């Protein structure tokens, strides 16, 4: 009795497609760009929190952050 064929998952298929379309350097560049986006978002969040704290201190309010 033959075994049932193994179907790749969507993730596997996308990784194979990515490998074909985006060879080494392009894949690395895309991942680096995404890492930079995430880091920019983190810094923006930190700036917003710091601004909130500075406003609270300047008004003399004791608001929790």
């Amino acid at each position: 009795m033959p075994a049932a064929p193994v179907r790749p998952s969507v993730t596997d298929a996308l990784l194979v497609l990515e490998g074909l379309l985006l060879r080494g350097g392009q894949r690395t560049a895309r991942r680096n760009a995404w890492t930079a986006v995430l880091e920019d978002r983190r810094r923006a969040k930190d700036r917003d929190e710091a601004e909130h704290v500075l406003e609270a201190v300047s008004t003399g309010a004791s608001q929790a952050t």
Side-chain angles (χ1 to χ4, degrees), residues 50-62:
E51 182 179 354
H52 179 74
V53 169
L54 290 173
E55 287 175 359
V57 169
S58 68
T59 60
S62 60

Side-chain angles (χ1 to χ4, degrees), residues 7-55:
R7 296 182 63 198
S9 69
V10 173
T11 302
D12 293 337
L14 290 174
L15 288 173
V16 169
L17 184 60
E18 177 188 47
L20 293 173
L21 296 176
L22 302 175
R23 298 290 179 187
Q26 292 176 351
R27 185 181 313 130
T28 300
R30 186 173 63 64
R31 288 185 180 151
N32 288 344
W34 182 246
T35 300
V37 166
L38 295 176
E39 184 63 20
D40 287 344
R41 289 178 182 174
R42 186 193 62 77
R43 282 194 300 266
K45 180 182 173 192
D46 289 347
R47 278 193 308 272
D48 287 343
E49 290 174 357
E51 182 179 354
H52 179 74
V53 169
L54 290 173
E55 287 175 359

